[in-house]
Amino acid sequence: MTSRVWSIQDGLPDQVILSMAQTPDQYLWLGTRLGLVRFDGYHFIDYGADLAPALHDFGVDCVLVVRDGSLWLGTQGGGVVHLFPGGGRTYNTRAGIANGLIRALYQDEAGRIWAGTDNGLYRLDSGEHFSRIDDRGGIHGAAVHAIVGDGHGGVWAGGSRLLHIDASAGLGTISWQEVALPQQKGSLRIWSMAKGSGESLWIATLGGLYHLPDGVGSVATKEPRVLGSALSLLVDSHRQLWVGTMDEGLYLLSENGSVTRARAPDQLASNSVLALAEDRSHDLWAGTQSGLTRFSATGMHLTRVPGAIDSEFGSVAVDADDSLWVCSRRLTHIRNGRMEPVNLPSITGFAIHSVMRERSGAFWVGTLGRGAYRIAPGGHIDHYTSEIGTNYIRGFLETPFDGVWIASDGGVANWRDGHVTSFQNVPGAPHAPTLSMAAGAPGELWVGTYHGLSLLRNGAFVAAPAADALGSHAVSAIHVSDDGALWIGTESGLFRWHDNQLQHIRLEADMNAPAILTILEDGHHRMWLGGPTTVVRADRSSFESLAAGKDKRLFNPEIFAVSLETGAELGSGAASTAELDRSGGAWFTTNEGPLHIQASNPRHDGAPPPIMLGQVLVDGERVAVKGPVILQPSAKTLVIDAPPIALSARPGLQLRRRLIGFDPDWVAISPLQSATYTNLPAGHYTYRVEASWKDAPGATVLELPIVQRTHFYRQPAFLVACLVALLLAIWAGHRMRVRQVMLRFRLVAEERNRVAREMHDTVVQGCIGVSSLLEAIAIRHAPVGADDVPTDEANLLNSAREQIAVTILEARDAIWNLRHPHEGGNLSNSLRSLLDRITTIQGKRVEFESDGTALSLNVEAEHELFMTVREALHNALVHAGAEHIRLSLRYVTDSVLVSIRDDGSGFTAGSTDDRGEHFGLLGMHERMERIGGTCRIDSARDRGTMVELHVPYERNVRTVRPEQESR
């Protein structure tokens, strides 16, 4: 077992601990002179003063946890206080307790609460009022400092007298019996009692420890093995008796008759032990005059060696019989739990620093200043000094092929078959004290010094990439694993050299310091790393994953808090500061003596410790948690503390956390490690922490719902509203544009109509007037007889008549175009209307045919096609003088085909002049190119003309709304 002490420097509000008890939620409650203190294994919290001021005003003398898990507290002058979830109640003189100084509390088998005071014994029968018991049946003014049950429903009450009260005691006359104790020097004062096996009773008094073997009717005897006044008693779950004394420390009396004693300052805060308690993990708690002490089965055992010097840790060596040799200037042999100083007559006057047992049985002894000694199995002694190169020996290493390597302050030397070879002055030697050694391949030795790593190969120091990559770190430990990897412990952490890569492994989070002083690997491929205050044990694969960057923390490590639990500091600076034993455990040197860690941890009984929600900080402000944590949109940082209530020091507790919905994987954490999250995305999360024991089923869980709200402009409803508003804005803009287009169209239409009216009332009317005059003149000058030949004037007049007729026709076409701009929508109808007008005005014969399923072209395409057809018809009528025209409109799969054939005069390609007043053939081609179509013209002199127009549907088809079709 190991012990740990807490005092005022560790946060304990008052170092005088009067009483202790653990509640079902696993908190430890301490009664002190200043009040009530709650302890979770990490933090001490003053408790209950707001619920019951008497706790702080008078202090707490005794603590009782009853069956429902609530707390009953006896104060030093303020009566009895009952604390329950959400409240508290005080019982004082108004509740029947005449003496407010409560020394003892007890709950009997019937559930009734008993209270012992300096003057009277009380019992709570009704739940509202305490009744005095000692004034019935002849017991008057009893001072009661301890109350325990007898196992049959009755109670033992001890103080100024030892009384047994029968189980059938009621409010009337009670049955009681006084048991006499041996005469003491002063007046009898019973401080504590504990029920032993059977009917036996242990009694702690100022006169010592007494034992009543068979209860009432037997004779009490004094226990001679316990010295001084006994103040506190506890029978633990293993039926062992713990006895706290005044000024004599703590005793442990086992059933086998053995006695173990703990004293200050090595194991106790003080030698006056006022209170004892056992928690659910079977750890023993001792409340003393100077603080709190815990005794735990941690898997560690520290053997304090007398005369150990803090500055010289020495070394340890496991012998073939699994006994241990300890060197700390003097040589000590620990065998079967017994520590024996060893004096070697041939080695006197010099401090012994290291020893080693060869496979052959020879015994090596390294001294500080006298060199090394080899004691052969037959007793022959060889002494080596100058051969080694220096007389200050740091350690030994035996290898199967190379004999014994000797580490010294000047370098390394090798012993083989009786010959010693020093490598202190060979080229490349480090010329520094050797801190560590490890054997590589046959003929190879890795050497660690304060200046880095060196490789000795076949008698010469050679260049090594691992040494170059490491640099000038102080190498305290070296280990070569069976896969050829080189593990290096330095002041800056653990390094791994493998596959020509150096990987740095930082373990500060688990070891509380970066330095690695020792490296061991057992037969189960578990690695043991020793730091200044802590030993960590984990599977080698876990360290390999950490080195490769696959994990951020060690997976399932076993952490042995050496300094916290023993007060000792681990050793360094020698080649033999740690060694595996023959059972799978390990020995380490400390400044107090050798420390042994078992091969396996103690079994963990019961469930893992519960996890409590400590505090939640949002942007540095603590928030009360009564449900889900609601984070406002402006929240940036969330910090959550959720430590376990871990009173036990047993290693193997595993903690992991995860923010479900955010963290992709679980994260291993230490008990006091906070979780910090910044700039969480909006959403719902669950913060979950799990605690479990290594290699044991079951886990305790804490879950905290978290809601991160988003800014209103990121909420779905707002985004939908913005989308709707955008669509409405687009629709409104479209409507406005349509109105503007319609307005411009109306203005253009009105202007066209005005121009058409003006042309009709001026140009056309004037031309009609001129035409009428020319007709009249032509009639007057017409030839009389059939044989009369028209004169030149008549011919000129006829030409003028024809020209003015053409002008009137073209003017009317212009007016019609102005009055009826083509808007698209039905190409076939538009062409029919055009042909009807031509037929009516000019009296020409025009045939029209349409074939296929009509598809509506967009306005631009239909307009360009219509104007191209109109131009072709105009050319046929005006320029070609055609008498017969055939127009064909066909809708095929992917395009519209239009052909115009006439019997006019035709023309020869290249003979037309399109620079005059007509649009011309060039305009026809340009219009078709604009809509992605083609225009092909086939013509010859006196053979008419064929015009073929092709318009593809691609990009030219439009969707026609029903109302447009109806128009």
Side-chain angles (χ1 to χ4, degrees), residues 58 84 129 143 161 182 185 213 272 303 315 319 335 380 595 617 630 655 694 706 724 758 781 809 831 858 864 921:
F58 297 96
F84 45 84
H129 193 272
R161 307 159 71 182
K185 294 181 179 180
S272 294
T303 303
S315 62
D319 211 334
R335 181 165 39 193
H380 176 74
L595 173 76
L617 302 176
I630 307 298
L655 291 171
K694 180 178 174 64
I706 298 171
V724 171
E758 294 295 328
H781 293 82
L809 177 61
L831 293 177
N858 58 43
E864 297 295 343
L921 301 180

Side-chain angles (χ1 to χ4, degrees), residues 536-609:
V536 169
R537 182 173 65 191
D539 294 336
R540 191 176 77 192
S541 58
S542 182
F543 291 98
E544 291 169 346
S545 297
L546 200 62
K550 298 178 181 178
D551 297 320
K552 295 181 179 179
R553 291 286 300 273
L554 281 175
F555 180 71
N556 293 343
E558 297 170 276
I559 301 174
F560 300 89
V562 177
S563 293
L564 282 177
E565 297 304 320
T566 67
E569 182 179 349
L570 289 162
S572 64
S576 305
T577 52
E579 189 168 341
L580 294 171
D581 63 19
R582 302 296 188 267
S583 303
W587 287 92
F588 297 84
T589 60
T590 76
N591 61 331
E592 298 287 339
L595 173 76
H596 184 252
I597 299 180
Q598 297 175 192
S600 58
N601 285 326
R603 292 179 57 87
H604 299 285
D605 298 329

Side-chain angles (χ1 to χ4, degrees), residues 170 186 211 236 311 349 402 408 412 460 534 566 576 587 818 849 887 919:
H211 185 219
D236 65 17
S311 60
D402 302 314
S408 69
V412 294
T534 308
T566 67
S576 305
W587 287 92
L818 289 173
E849 62 179 4
L887 175 62
F919 186 84

Side-chain angles (χ1 to χ4, degrees), residues 553-711:
R553 291 286 300 273
L554 281 175
F555 180 71
N556 293 343
E558 297 170 276
I559 301 174
F560 300 89
V562 177
S563 293
L564 282 177
E565 297 304 320
T566 67
E569 182 179 349
L570 289 162
S572 64
S576 305
T577 52
E579 189 168 341
L580 294 171
D581 63 19
R582 302 296 188 267
S583 303
W587 287 92
F588 297 84
T589 60
T590 76
N591 61 331
E592 298 287 339
L595 173 76
H596 184 252
I597 299 180
Q598 297 175 192
S600 58
N601 285 326
R603 292 179 57 87
H604 299 285
D605 298 329
I611 302 169
M612 69 172 182
L613 183 62
Q615 64 178 359
V616 177
L617 302 176
V618 178
D619 292 337
E621 297 281 338
R622 185 168 184 172
V623 297
V625 179
K626 297 182 179 179
V629 176
I630 307 298
L631 303 178
Q632 298 303 320
S634 59
K636 299 297 183 183
T637 304
L638 172 66
V639 179
I640 304 174
D641 288 329
I645 306 176
L647 299 179
S648 174
R650 288 173 170 81
L653 181 62
Q654 302 170 163
L655 291 171
R656 63 177 188 171
R657 63 152 172 89
R658 183 181 182 186
L659 185 60
I660 299 174
F662 182 79
D663 289 330
D665 299 305
W666 289 95
V667 178
I669 58 174
S670 57
L672 295 179
Q673 183 177 348
S674 300
T676 302
Y677 297 94
T678 57
N679 297 320
L680 279 176
H684 291 71
Y685 307 93
T686 300
Y687 181 73
R688 182 181 175 96
V689 183
E690 294 182 357
S692 61
W693 292 116
K694 180 178 174 64
D695 301 327
T700 54
V701 176
L702 171 74
E703 288 189 343
L704 178 64
I706 298 171
V707 179
Q708 173 66 69
R709 290 179 174 172
T710 184
H711 291 281

